[in-house]
Amino acid sequence: MTNFMFIPGLLARLSPTDYVGFTFFVGCMAMMAASAFFFLSLNQFDKKWRTSILVSGLITFIAAVHYFYMRDYWATFQESPTFFRYVDWTLTVPLMCVEFFLILKVAGAKQSLMWKMIILSLVMLLTGYFGEAVDRPNAWLWGLISGIAYFVIVYEIWLGNASKIAAAAGGNVLAAHKILCWFVLVGWSIYPLGYMLGTDGWYNGIHGLGLNIDVVYNIADAINKIGFGLVVYNLALKSQTT
């Protein structure tokens, strides 16, 4: 254990003025704290909601582990940890889509809805990775495909089958669904902004904003992943008491 703690790569120092590294560190701690909260609260819910709370904990736990590595990568190389970030998203974003299915399952949602959203999220992420890390000269094309997949997800949850199932369920389920929809519409929209900050194309002018892509992503991750879990936790809590 002692040898592990003294691996040189894990001892990279963060400058006191490194606000990017600071957001990586805070993101790591926030995700880990959220994971502990969700996992420790499992026993207070019945089987109907335990899976949802477990998935919420898994989302933040996976993110916490990746943020540990991303923080260290940034401190060592002062470069955006694109590979680690997309690995994180490829695991956690589909799980966030699963959360939609789990809260709507009580209202009769079928697994086809879950798989549709998972596939769309993977298309969104994989094409985004190609544009940002593999085929940067065609970043605009990969970004366009990724954006289309994102807007199909938005349509599905706001106006499509998921929206109709939530409306039929009503009550706490509908209220939670609407909040999650806002997370996707507003919170997830930060990711396309980060993509444009990190790639060249028709949007070169946006680089003049002085924003850092990693700060944008780190703030978005904390809000979206922890927020998603808290919405599900609140729904489960209300369902237990009504």
Side-chain angles (χ1 to χ4, degrees):
M1 182 66 179
T2 302
N3 291 336
F4 174 78
M5 294 302 294
F6 284 93
I7 294 174
L10 299 180
L11 293 177
R13 293 183 179 181
L14 290 175
S15 168
T17 59
D18 185 356
Y19 66 93
V20 180
F22 176 78
T23 59
F24 274 119
F25 184 82
V26 171
C28 181
M29 294 299 101
M31 299 290 187
M32 188 60 70
S35 301
F37 173 77
F38 293 132
F39 289 146
L40 292 174
S41 67
L42 275 173
N43 289 335
Q44 75 181 85
F45 299 105
D46 55 33
K47 293 182 179 179
K48 178 181 177 182
W49 292 106
R50 282 182 186 174
T51 302
S52 296
I53 302 300
L54 176 62
V55 171
S56 296
L58 288 174
I59 290 170
T60 52
F61 179 75
I62 292 170
V65 173
H66 282 87
Y67 263 77
F68 177 83
Y69 285 102
M70 286 191 285
R71 179 202 66 188
D72 192 61
Y73 185 92
W74 169 264
T76 303
F77 302 106
Q78 293 293 296
E79 295 178 358
S80 182
T82 304
F83 173 78
F84 289 112
R85 194 178 292 284
Y86 272 93
V87 172
D88 170 35
W89 288 342
T90 302
L91 294 172
T92 57
V93 174
L95 285 175
M96 294 168 80
C97 291
V98 170
E99 288 283 40
F100 272 100
F101 167 73
L102 290 175
I103 69 172
L104 295 177
K105 185 178 179 181
V106 296
K110 297 181 180 179
Q111 287 192 0
S112 58
L113 173 64
M114 178 185 70
W115 288 112
K116 179 180 180 180
M117 293 187 64
I118 288 176
I119 292 172
L120 285 169
S121 68
L122 289 174
V123 170
M124 176 180 70
L125 292 166
L126 293 176
T127 54
Y129 179 74
F130 265 82
E132 196 166 341
V134 179
D135 187 20
R136 292 178 68 89
N138 294 309
W140 70 271
L141 176 60
W142 295 112
L144 177 62
I145 298 173
S146 180
I148 291 173
Y150 164 71
F151 282 113
V152 173
I153 292 175
V154 171
Y155 175 84
E156 176 63 39
I157 61 177
W158 276 98
L159 301 171
N161 190 37
S163 174
K164 295 175 183 177
I165 295 173
N172 293 329
V173 172
L174 177 59
H177 176 82
K178 285 185 176 180
I179 296 174
L180 293 182
C181 285
W182 280 110
F183 269 109
V184 174
L185 181 63
V186 179
W188 288 21
S189 67
I190 299 177
Y191 299 121
L193 173 61
Y195 182 87
M196 289 187 286
L197 284 168
T199 56
D200 296 321
W202 59 48
Y203 30 70
N204 284 342
I206 201 170
H207 290 270
L209 293 177
L211 297 174
N212 182 283
I213 180 176
D214 288 299
V215 173
V216 173
Y217 283 155
N218 294 348
I219 294 174
D221 274 350
I223 294 173
N224 291 323
K225 292 173 183 175
I226 297 175
F228 244 66
L230 290 176
V231 171
V232 174
Y233 174 85
N234 187 57
L235 171 60
L237 201 61
K238 287 182 178 180
S239 299
Q240 292 268 105
T241 57
T242 56

